[in-house]
Amino acid sequence: MARGSAVAWAALGPLLWGCALGLQGGMLYPQESPSRECKELDGLWSFRADFSDNRRRGFEEQWYRRPLWESGPTVDMPVPSSFNDISQDWRLRHFVGWVWYEREVILPERWTQDLRTRVVLRIGSAHSYAIVVSAARSRQGGWGGTAAEQHGTSSCHPRHWVNGVDTLEHEGGYLPFEADISNLVQVGPLPSRLRITIAINNTLTPTTLPPGTIQYLTDTSKYPKGYFVQNTYFDFFNYAGLQRSVLLYTTPTTYIDDITVTTSVEQDSGLVNYQISVKGSNLFKLEVRLLDAENKVVANGTGTQGQLKVPGVSLWWPYLMHERPAYLYSLEVQLTAQTSLGPVSDFYTLPVGIRTVAVTKSQFLINGKPFYFHGVNKHEDADIRGKGFDWPLLVKDFNLLRWLGANAFRTSHYPYAEEVMQMCDRYGIVVIDECPGVGLALPQFFNNVSLHHHMQVMEEVVRRDKNHPAVVMWSVANEPASHLESAGYYLKMVIAHTKSLDPSRPVTFVSNSNYAADKGAPYVDVICLNSYYSWYHDYGHLELIQLQLATQFENWYKKYQKPIIQSEYGAETIAGFHQDPPLMFTEEYQKSLLEQYHLGLDQKRRKYVVGELIWNFADFMTEQSPTRVLGNKKGIFTRQRQPKSAAFLLRERYWKIANETRYPHSVAKSQCLENSLFT
């Protein structure tokens, strides 16, 4: 793509945005405002795994009809967390099937009496298929309603109401879903408590994302009758449960449902294009204000769509690329409406970073300047909590990223918590936002049902993350079997659908296929390559890396003429293992392998290689196997976030690259930033 084409392509975003979004309703991050309240439900929930042979006893005995403890023993389970590593019960560690969570909530009286208030139940993530049942109890003590008995695996949206009980179903982990429960809590007699029951099934099938298979082992001389295992085709542990926050929040009955923002630059002015969706009434007025970081109003607008012009704009720049990175404005939206119950108002504030993204045949441009990704791949993974969201861990990780001099990461291999994306916006960490399209390794996974679900997941990802300036590219898959003809069509359709959802960002997937056989590469904007020279083959032969890496880059670029990111490379390293000359699994080997890769990358990064992302930021848990010693040990930090030798090597390299590419050209010397928290 020529430079002029890149600019034109980037400018199309504000014009075409939103035309193809198939989902109904927005997914704005819950926030408190003069018109909105939030009630977090984090903490201890009652929990039970269904260990019955068919895993369906909970539905057969209708556990949801009454408090969970009445149908059998429960244990305490912290939310958010994965359930796998919390208990001493070995059966939970690798449990596959239905688990049940329950909590009673005392509702504020106003929520149940003010019919101008809308009450919403939101689940941040439930991996991977969830059914939610809500029942209200009156002051007289009785539970109202019965639960729906449908529990298939095809719905991704609220199903219906049955006898006053809301049943919500959602397929797919890692993304939020919610339901309006006002009709349940605002009917007489006035309820004082709400019982929330959530059933979650972590089974992976050929049509889930990520996919998997269930294998029944029928040799009765080795296995009990009905014994089965979950086969996965990815290299991380399939943690499950309520891994992100659950909360209740309110809005007025006429409310701001969604906001979509795209930005561009015209000379020294920033342009903020907005679209606002309102639900509940057609009689309303919208006022929009854009405030700078000092809370000064810099632009005003009215109506559901428009363009705000910001003279002398402060652009959102990546970390280490500018003296003042990650500059954020605030878009304040005020709604006033007339309803049958009287006037209502709603307020929502959206952080906005003004920046542009474009791609040429050899460059990735942010704000018209060449950007080089020097960063990491990560996992949401830690001791005990598994994939459960944890603020101290998140802040520690960002401190390490900034210490490292990293300016980017990929959300390998699923969308991370919304709070992670917010931190990236605040700190200028660029994100390649990846969906759970990992493990697409078998021909049977590229079917029409999977394709439809994959496209729907991309709609959910884009709907959730579209307004984050840190997100500069979508990734629709990691290491699919892209040499298959069926995979070529599948990837073509998913990529085209993603571009129709958001024309303002490039789209990619991450490949480990042969350049000549890859059927999906023609459709991406940026080539992302995973390779493990001198690790998964040619074991120990570090002297081959530079030749093999040069051959890889030259072959791919000659065929596709697109910028390339080395999206994974690395070596397994057990902290404290040392050997010289370097041997595999030692810290010296990891460091030497990285040094050889860096020599090869330096030969191409001033030409058409636009990034390098180490695998991995930190050690993480995997399924047990003879090739994994308590998980994957390719991290430059341990699972407890302590550095290995390679972390210091990478830090030196990343700060050196930052000094070369910083705009304006002032030197960013990490050694001279003693007053910074992040050195």
Side-chain angles (χ1 to χ4, degrees), residues 31-322:
Q31 65 176 225
E32 293 193 320
S33 75
S35 59
R36 296 177 176 228
E37 297 175 271
C38 295
K39 184 179 180 65
E40 288 194 352
L41 305 184
D42 294 354
L44 294 181
W45 288 54
S46 297
F47 175 88
R48 181 189 302 147
D50 187 343
F51 289 110
S52 62
D53 289 342
N54 65 2
R55 302 293 198 262
R56 294 175 61 85
R57 179 173 295 163
F59 294 102
E60 293 167 353
E61 298 180 358
Q62 300 180 357
W63 290 351
Y64 48 80
R65 286 188 180 273
R66 56 193 188 277
L68 195 58
W69 61 267
E70 292 186 11
S71 57
T74 63
V75 298
D76 288 337
M77 186 60 64
V79 173
S81 76
S82 305
F83 64 74
N84 309 80
D85 291 344
I86 299 296
S87 169
Q88 294 303 106
D89 187 344
W90 63 269
R91 297 176 300 170
L92 273 184
R93 183 67 172 76
H94 296 280
F95 181 79
V96 177
W98 289 100
V99 297
W100 294 72
Y101 288 79
E102 186 177 273
R103 176 162 175 176
E104 289 188 18
V105 183
I106 299 175
L107 298 172
E109 191 170 82
R110 190 182 64 78
W111 291 18
T112 66
Q113 294 184 359
D114 187 353
L115 298 183
R116 294 176 302 174
T117 296
R118 173 175 167 266
V119 183
V120 180
L121 172 64
R122 179 186 176 103
I123 292 90
S125 168
H127 184 63
S128 69
Y129 181 79
I131 300 175
V132 183
V133 180
S134 303
R137 187 169 70 177
S138 69
R139 291 194 180 97
Q140 287 71 37
W143 290 101
T146 59
E149 298 181 26
Q150 299 184 1
H151 42 275
T153 57
S154 61
S155 176
C156 294
H157 53 276
R159 294 295 296 270
H160 51 259
W161 299 84
V162 179
N163 296 334
V165 175
D166 173 36
T167 297
L168 166 67
E169 302 188 26
H170 183 265
E171 182 176 358
Y174 310 113
L175 290 163
F177 55 102
E178 61 184 31
D180 184 337
I181 60 170
S182 307
N183 289 352
L184 176 63
V185 303
Q186 294 174 347
V187 294
L190 295 177
S192 60
R193 290 180 179 268
L194 183 71
R195 191 181 81 242
I196 301 170
T197 306
I198 303 177
I200 302 173
N201 193 327
N202 65 341
T203 307
L204 301 180
T205 73
T207 59
T208 58
L209 209 63
T213 57
I214 295 294
Q215 180 182 2
Y216 283 88
L217 303 173
T218 57
D219 184 345
T220 55
S221 68
K222 296 181 179 179
Y223 308 103
K225 183 180 179 181
Y227 192 85
F228 68 90
V229 293
Q230 170 79 76
N231 292 324
T232 59
Y233 303 86
F234 48 82
D235 188 33
F236 58 91
F237 192 77
N238 189 37
Y239 282 113
L242 290 174
Q243 300 179 142
R244 297 173 190 163
S245 292
V246 179
L247 56 84
L248 295 165
Y249 74 91
T250 67
T251 72
T253 49
T254 298
Y255 60 97
I256 300 162
D257 176 62
D258 198 14
I259 304 171
T260 300
V261 166
T262 59
T263 64
S264 57
V265 178
E266 188 177 85
Q267 296 179 344
D268 69 338
S269 295
L271 303 178
V272 178
N273 303 280
Y274 66 87
Q275 289 186 347
I276 302 170
S277 168
V278 173
K279 287 193 174 181
S281 174
N282 292 322
L283 301 175
F284 62 84
K285 181 175 71 171
L286 281 171
E287 296 182 11
V288 178
R289 302 194 307 167
L290 190 70
L291 283 69
D292 65 15
E294 287 73 41
N295 287 322
K296 297 178 181 177
V297 177
V298 296
N300 292 279
T302 59
T304 58
Q305 59 183 349
Q307 183 179 87
L308 305 177
K309 187 171 184 178
V310 186
V313 64
S314 295
L315 297 178
W316 188 95
W317 288 96
Y319 176 53
L320 298 179
M321 198 173 176
H322 194 270

Side-chain angles (χ1 to χ4, degrees), residues 192-496:
S192 60
R193 290 180 179 268
L194 183 71
R195 191 181 81 242
I196 301 170
T197 306
I198 303 177
I200 302 173
N201 193 327
N202 65 341
T203 307
L204 301 180
T205 73
T207 59
T208 58
L209 209 63
T213 57
I214 295 294
Q215 180 182 2
Y216 283 88
L217 303 173
T218 57
D219 184 345
T220 55
S221 68
K222 296 181 179 179
Y223 308 103
K225 183 180 179 181
Y227 192 85
F228 68 90
V229 293
Q230 170 79 76
N231 292 324
T232 59
Y233 303 86
F234 48 82
D235 188 33
F236 58 91
F237 192 77
N238 189 37
Y239 282 113
L242 290 174
Q243 300 179 142
R244 297 173 190 163
S245 292
V246 179
L247 56 84
L248 295 165
Y249 74 91
T250 67
T251 72
T253 49
T254 298
Y255 60 97
I256 300 162
D257 176 62
D258 198 14
I259 304 171
T260 300
V261 166
T262 59
T263 64
S264 57
V265 178
E266 188 177 85
Q267 296 179 344
D268 69 338
S269 295
L271 303 178
V272 178
N273 303 280
Y274 66 87
Q275 289 186 347
I276 302 170
S277 168
V278 173
K279 287 193 174 181
S281 174
N282 292 322
L283 301 175
F284 62 84
K285 181 175 71 171
L286 281 171
E287 296 182 11
V288 178
R289 302 194 307 167
L290 190 70
L291 283 69
D292 65 15
E294 287 73 41
N295 287 322
K296 297 178 181 177
V297 177
V298 296
N300 292 279
T302 59
T304 58
Q305 59 183 349
Q307 183 179 87
L308 305 177
K309 187 171 184 178
V310 186
V313 64
S314 295
L315 297 178
W316 188 95
W317 288 96
Y319 176 53
L320 298 179
M321 198 173 176
H322 194 270
E323 293 291 344
R324 191 173 186 182
Y327 191 96
L328 292 174
Y329 293 86
S330 296
L331 186 74
E332 291 187 350
V333 180
Q334 179 178 351
L335 164 74
T336 54
Q338 292 294 327
T339 72
S340 59
L341 298 175
V344 298
S345 298
D346 192 19
F347 302 85
Y348 195 89
T349 300
L350 180 74
V352 172
I354 300 176
R355 60 102 181 97
T356 62
V357 172
V359 175
T360 74
K361 66 183 294 185
S362 61
Q363 292 179 315
F364 195 101
L365 304 174
I366 295 181
N367 299 331
K369 303 292 187 180
F371 176 74
Y372 189 80
F373 296 78
H374 47 89
V376 302
N377 295 275
K378 291 182 91 276
H379 266 298
E380 290 186 317
D381 175 277
D383 290 330
I384 302 175
R385 59 188 67 76
K387 291 191 181 303
F389 177 78
D390 181 69
W391 270 113
L393 180 69
L394 177 61
V395 174
K396 177 65 174 179
D397 281 1
F398 270 78
N399 286 343
L400 290 174
L401 287 170
R402 289 164 65 91
W403 172 86
L404 196 64
N407 65 3
F409 66 77
R410 174 170 61 120
T411 66
S412 45
H413 299 294
Y414 39 82
Y416 292 176
E418 291 160 282
E419 294 82 357
V420 178
M421 315 307 286
Q422 293 164 7
M423 288 284 281
C424 290
D425 291 342
R426 290 180 59 190
Y427 289 107
I429 304 298
V430 167
V431 177
I432 300 173
D433 201 348
E434 189 162 271
C435 82
V438 59
L440 295 165
L442 303 179
Q444 69 198 74
F445 296 160
F446 298 98
N447 58 73
N448 286 335
V449 174
S450 296
L451 176 59
H452 179 267
H453 178 52
H454 200 145
M455 294 168 75
Q456 189 166 31
V457 168
M458 288 310 305
E459 291 183 12
E460 292 188 39
V461 174
V462 172
R463 176 178 67 174
R464 194 197 75 167
D465 293 344
K466 61 188 175 181
N467 293 322
H468 289 289
V471 175
V472 300
M473 184 158 58
W474 307 110
S475 172
V476 302
N478 177 75
E479 296 184 354
S482 52
H483 62 281
L484 299 174
E485 291 291 343
S486 57
Y489 173 78
Y490 183 105
L491 291 166
K492 176 183 178 181
M493 297 301 293
V494 174
I495 291 169

